């Protein structure tokens, strides 16, 4: 009893550690952090546009509100200083013939309101700049130009954030599991991918990377060593007609890293299969990338995907996403090596081979029968 519980607990810890070591999550996020970066954070301010776009919405909206409120308040202080220097405020008791720099600025609050009206071009007409002060005219021009820059930058950043192709990638989904079974007489690793929108991805290209830890002949340990995995559909791996769910597959041949794996040893392997789909969004012409990953527990040996496309009586094609990740058990060789050895043995039986040691001897038969 205790040994069984200890084994289950060890298995659970192993699964948790394997999940934590996952580089790419199922929704495509990368589980990686950078430490001891020698470059200062000033380099992120140099590329301020990308930095703003990569911020989360709560930080972006905080910067958006702070930029406008801060600029309004800063120029409000400057307008108050101009009125104070020119002695336009009521506490200086200006004469009747006194012409102020800005009409109807009586304090800091009215200066803030004038700054707001100027920058957002409201122009109520109650407060206005006179031609008495060149400083006020210059400040008005400077605030108008800076206000246009702030509006363009912040509105452009929000629009770019909304229209990022990263959001389009969320409507591309992969199957929960990958399966290994025979397809066209070859052992293949299959994955199903679907486009949830009716708009297409133009120039789609799909490929994969197998991440594992390897040791070189020199004894160097390489963590997250990347091995290329080629995925194809019946028409190739480029320019996919992505109108309905597709089943992509990788042929497990002698050049495949899955060739030496078997059904019994698959769960003992330590790898992560990352699948990428690149394409161009039809509506915006922006490129996007969708990615997901599979660990050994998510690769099912001896299964295939259930059919999901059918034709209705009205002549329309219907996709049943209830069976999108559903799998069906099929008869499958337990390893690719055995499958190819079986094919070679059958080919040898069909061809036949000459035996050099075989000698045909002729025997003369004499008939002892007399008539």
């Amino acid at each position: 009893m205790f040994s069984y519980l200890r084994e289950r607990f060890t298995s659970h810890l192993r699964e948790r550690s394997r999940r934590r070591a996952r580089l790419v999550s199922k929704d495509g996020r990368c589980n990686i952090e950078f430490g001891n970066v020698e470059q200062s954070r000033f380099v992120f301010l140099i590329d301020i546009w990308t930095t703003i776009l990569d911020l989360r919405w709560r930080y972006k909206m905080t910067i958006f509100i702070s930029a406008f409120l801060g600029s309004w308040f800063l120029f409000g202080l400057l307008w108050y200083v101009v009125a104070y220097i020119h002695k336009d405020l009521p506490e200086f008791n200006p004469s009747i013939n006194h012409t102020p720099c800005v009409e109807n600025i009586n304090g800091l609050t009215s200066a803030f309101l004038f700054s707001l009206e100027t920058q957002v071009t409201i122009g109520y007409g109650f407060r206005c700049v006179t031609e008495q002060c060149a400083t006020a005219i210059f400040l008005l021009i400077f605030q108008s130009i800076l206000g246009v820059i702030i509006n363009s930058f912040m509105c452009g950043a929000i629009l770019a954030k909304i229209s990022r192709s990263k959001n389009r990638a969320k409507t591309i989904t992969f199957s929960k599991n990958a399966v290994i079974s025979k397809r066209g007489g070859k052992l293949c690793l299959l994955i199903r991918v679907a486009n949830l929108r009716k708009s297409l991805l133009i120039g789609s290209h799909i490929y994969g990377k197998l991440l594992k830890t390897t040791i070189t002949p020199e004894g160097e340990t390489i963590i997250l060593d990347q091995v290329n995995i080629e995925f194809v559909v019946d028409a190739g791996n480029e320019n996919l007609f992505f109108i309905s769910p597709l089943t992509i597959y990788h042929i497990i041949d002698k050049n495949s890293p899955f060739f030496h794996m078997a059904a019994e040893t698959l769960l003992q392997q330590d790898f992560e299969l990352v699948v990428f789909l690149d394409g161009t969004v039809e509506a915006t012409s922006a490129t996007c990338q969708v990615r997901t990953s599979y660990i050994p527990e998510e690769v099912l040996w001896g299964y295939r995907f259930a059919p999901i496309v059918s034709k209705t009586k009205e002549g329309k094609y219907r996709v049943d996403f209830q069976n999108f990740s559903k799998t069906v058990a099929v008869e499958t060789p337990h390893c690719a090596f055995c499958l190819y050895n079986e094919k070679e043995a059958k080919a040898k039986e069909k061809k036949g081979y000459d035996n050099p040691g075989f000698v045909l001897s002729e025997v003369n038969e004499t008939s002892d029968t007399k008539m």
Side-chain angles (χ1 to χ4, degrees), residues 204-254:
S204 301
H205 173 67
I206 195 162
Y207 57 96
K209 299 286 185 181
L210 186 70
L211 308 179
K212 60 180 181 178
T213 301
T214 59
I215 300 178
T216 63
E218 295 77 17
E220 179 185 3
T221 301
I222 302 178
I223 301 177
L224 298 180
D225 185 24
Q226 301 183 15
V227 181
N228 290 327
I229 302 294
E230 295 184 0
F231 282 97
V232 295
V233 293
D234 293 335
N237 63 342
E238 295 184 358
N239 300 325
L240 306 178
F241 186 47
F242 211 0
I243 193 63
S244 63
L246 297 176
T247 300
I248 61 174
Y249 58 92
H250 164 71
I251 301 176
I252 304 178
D253 53 12
K254 295 182 180 179

Side-chain angles (χ1 to χ4, degrees), residues 312-366:
T312 62
K313 296 180 179 179
E314 294 79 11
K316 294 184 178 180
Y317 293 93
R318 182 176 182 272
V319 179
D320 185 8
F321 279 94
Q322 185 176 1
N323 296 333
F324 180 73
S325 295
K326 186 177 180 180
T327 56
V328 180
V330 292
E331 184 179 354
T332 306
H334 73 283
C335 67
F337 186 76
C338 300
L339 175 64
Y340 284 96
N341 280 351
E342 181 183 354
K343 288 184 177 181
E344 291 179 0
K346 291 182 178 180
K348 290 180 180 179
E349 290 179 0
K350 291 182 178 179
K351 291 181 179 179
Y353 289 88
D354 294 332
N355 186 357
F358 178 76
V359 178
L360 178 61
S361 59
E362 298 182 356
V363 179
N364 297 326
E365 297 181 356
T366 56

Side-chain angles (χ1 to χ4, degrees), residues 163 280 292:
S163 61
T280 303
T292 189

Side-chain angles (χ1 to χ4, degrees), residues 32-72:
I32 192 170
E33 63 179 15
F34 301 100
N36 300 324
V37 180
E38 296 181 357
Q39 293 181 344
S40 64
R41 296 188 178 274
F42 181 74
V43 296
F44 295 98
L45 296 179
I46 297 177
D47 188 14
I48 186 65
W49 180 253
T50 305
T51 303
I52 293 295
L53 289 183
D54 289 340
L55 289 177
R56 295 186 177 181
W57 274 108
R58 53 179 177 267
Y59 302 124
K60 185 183 292 292
M61 295 307 299
T62 301
I63 294 176
F64 180 84
I65 296 173
S66 301
F68 284 102
L69 289 179
S71 62
W72 296 339

Side-chain angles (χ1 to χ4, degrees), residues 179-190 249-253 256 258-259 261-263 301-302 331-340 343:
V179 297
I180 295 179
S181 60
K182 292 178 65 175
R183 188 185 182 103
K186 300 178 181 179
L187 193 63
C188 300
L189 183 142
L190 301 97
Y249 58 92
H250 164 71
I251 301 176
I252 304 178
D253 53 12
S256 172
F258 296 96
F259 184 75
M261 299 183 189
W301 196 296
E331 184 179 354
T332 306
H334 73 283
C335 67
F337 186 76
C338 300
L339 175 64
Y340 284 96
K343 288 184 177 181

Side-chain angles (χ1 to χ4, degrees), residues 97-358:
N97 298 326
H98 178 77
T99 303
C101 292
V102 182
E103 296 282 356
N104 300 312
I105 286 187
N106 302 318
L108 186 59
T109 304
S110 58
F112 175 79
L113 292 176
F114 178 72
S115 173
L116 172 63
E117 295 168 11
T118 301
Q119 188 163 329
V120 299
T121 64
I122 296 177
Y124 290 121
F126 181 70
R127 301 179 182 88
C128 60
V129 176
T130 65
E131 57 186 16
Q132 184 69 24
C133 298
T135 304
I137 297 174
F138 174 78
L139 185 60
L140 177 66
I141 296 173
F142 182 72
Q143 184 177 5
S144 299
I145 296 175
L146 185 62
V148 171
I149 295 175
I150 294 176
N151 289 338
S152 302
F153 184 85
M154 298 308 302
C155 295
I158 291 181
L159 181 61
K161 180 78 172 179
I162 295 174
S163 61
R164 292 184 77 177
S165 56
K166 183 178 181 180
N167 297 325
R168 176 64 175 90
K170 294 181 180 179
T171 57
I172 305 296
T173 181
F174 288 87
S175 57
K176 182 180 179 181
N177 298 98
V179 297
I180 295 179
S181 60
K182 292 178 65 175
R183 188 185 182 103
K186 300 178 181 179
L187 193 63
C188 300
L189 183 142
L190 301 97
I191 297 172
R192 179 171 278 174
V193 58
N195 179 17
L196 301 181
R197 288 186 179 273
K198 291 186 178 180
S199 59
L200 300 178
L201 282 179
I202 303 173
S204 301
H205 173 67
I206 195 162
Y207 57 96
K209 299 286 185 181
L210 186 70
L211 308 179
K212 60 180 181 178
T213 301
T214 59
I215 300 178
T216 63
E218 295 77 17
E220 179 185 3
T221 301
I222 302 178
I223 301 177
L224 298 180
D225 185 24
Q226 301 183 15
V227 181
N228 290 327
I229 302 294
E230 295 184 0
F231 282 97
V232 295
V233 293
D234 293 335
N237 63 342
E238 295 184 358
N239 300 325
L240 306 178
F241 186 47
F242 211 0
I243 193 63
S244 63
L246 297 176
T247 300
I248 61 174
Y249 58 92
H250 164 71
I251 301 176
I252 304 178
D253 53 12
K254 295 182 180 179
N255 298 322
S256 172
F258 296 96
F259 184 75
H260 298 286
M261 299 183 189
E264 297 81 5
T265 62
L266 179 63
L267 297 179
Q268 302 174 5
Q269 304 294 326
D270 185 14
F271 66 84
E272 180 178 354
L273 175 62
V274 184
V275 183
F276 302 87
L277 174 63
D278 298 337
T280 303
V281 182
E282 185 180 24
T284 61
S285 299
T287 58
C288 71
Q289 182 183 85
V290 195
R291 52 186 175 266
T292 189
S293 69
Y294 299 92
I295 56 178
E297 289 79 5
E298 296 170 344
V299 180
L300 306 179
W301 196 296
Y303 288 83
R304 64 171 177 83
F305 291 111
I308 60 174
V309 180
S310 60
K311 194 173 183 179
T312 62
K313 296 180 179 179
E314 294 79 11
K316 294 184 178 180
Y317 293 93
R318 182 176 182 272
V319 179
D320 185 8
F321 279 94
Q322 185 176 1
N323 296 333
F324 180 73
S325 295
K326 186 177 180 180
T327 56
V328 180
V330 292
E331 184 179 354
T332 306
H334 73 283
C335 67
F337 186 76
C338 300
L339 175 64
Y340 284 96
N341 280 351
E342 181 183 354
K343 288 184 177 181
E344 291 179 0
K346 291 182 178 180
K348 290 180 180 179
E349 290 179 0
K350 291 182 178 179
K351 291 181 179 179
Y353 289 88
D354 294 332
N355 186 357
F358 178 76

